[in-house]
């Protein structure tokens, strides 16, 4: 029988001084290796630790459900990173346009080619806005919002 209330010293100790060994046949090891790849674990020990954590934290769900949640979270994270990169690029473009407008307005307000450059760049930034909306909607769908 597994005891739920462990010795407090064991609960607080982060030192890895307990070893668990498992022997597997080839078929079992192939399955283990597939799980390790799904978990993107660096080694067998970290794979076992992740499996134990998944099993302990699964709230009645299967480990496969937990793995799918991890994949979804990684996907959402990647989408969010893409969104942040795009927003950063747009912000940089807007700053360059604002700098150009201020410079042009104070130095040479009648310079039509420069005003044309500014209008063209504002239009390019404007074209990126629907892409941002699409990325945001994609992320919201993945999150379920």
């Amino acid at each position: 029988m597994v005891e739920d209330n462990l010795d407090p010293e064991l609960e607080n100790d982060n030192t890895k001084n307990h070893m668990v060994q498992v022997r597997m046949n080839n078929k079992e090891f192939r399955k283990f290796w597939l799980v390790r790849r799904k978990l993107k674990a660096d080694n067998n020990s970290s794979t076992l630790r992740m499996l134990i954590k998944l099993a302990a934290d699964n709230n009645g769900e299967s480990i496969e459900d937990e793995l799918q949640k991890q994949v979804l979270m990684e996907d959402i994270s990647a989408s969010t990173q893409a969104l942040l990169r795009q927003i950063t690029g747009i912000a940089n473009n807007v700053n360059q346009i604002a700098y150009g407008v201020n410079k042009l307005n104070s130095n040479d307000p009648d310079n039509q080619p420069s005003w044309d450059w500014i209008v063209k760049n504002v239009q390019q930034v404007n074209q990126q806005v629907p892409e941002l909306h699409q990325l945001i909607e994609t992320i919201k769908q993945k999150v379920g919002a």
Side-chain angles (χ1 to χ4, degrees):
M1 181 171 141
V2 176
E3 194 175 318
D4 287 338
N5 298 325
L6 293 176
D7 182 354
E9 287 184 24
L10 290 177
E11 289 181 19
N12 296 327
D13 188 8
N14 289 325
T15 305
K16 295 174 182 164
N17 55 3
H18 300 278
M19 187 164 94
V20 177
Q21 291 182 327
V22 178
R23 291 200 178 273
M24 296 180 190
N25 61 33
N26 289 341
K27 186 177 177 182
E28 291 169 328
F29 188 73
R30 275 192 289 278
K31 288 179 183 178
F32 178 79
W33 189 257
L34 290 174
V35 170
R36 178 178 165 176
R37 283 183 35 205
K38 279 185 183 180
L39 290 171
K40 298 177 184 164
D42 295 331
N43 54 51
N44 293 346
S45 294
S46 62
T47 304
L48 285 173
R49 283 189 203 97
M50 289 178 179
L51 285 170
I52 290 167
K53 183 177 180 342
L54 286 171
D57 296 346
N58 73 0
N59 296 325
E61 297 175 354
S62 71
I63 290 177
E64 188 64 35
D65 290 341
E66 290 292 322
L67 290 174
Q68 287 175 350
K69 283 181 187 177
Q70 280 185 355
V71 169
L72 178 62
M73 292 307 294
E74 289 172 7
D75 189 32
I76 290 169
S77 178
S79 297
T80 304
Q81 291 295 326
L83 178 64
L84 289 175
R85 280 192 300 275
Q86 191 153 6
I87 289 172
T88 300
I90 290 172
N92 187 34
N93 291 344
V94 168
N95 282 337
Q96 289 175 351
I97 293 167
Y99 176 79
V101 167
N102 288 332
K103 193 92 165 158
L104 186 60
N105 204 25
S106 63
N107 293 343
D108 190 7
D110 296 328
N111 185 335
Q112 190 58 44
S114 295
W115 285 113
D116 291 342
W117 176 88
I118 288 170
V119 167
K120 182 181 109 187
N121 281 280
V122 167
Q123 288 171 340
Q124 286 177 347
V125 167
N126 227 10
Q127 289 172 353
Q128 292 176 320
V129 171
E131 293 174 28
L132 285 179
H133 284 290
Q134 183 58 45
L135 276 171
I136 291 168
E137 286 304 315
T138 300
I139 292 170
K140 284 168 70 175
Q141 287 175 356
K142 289 176 183 176
V143 172

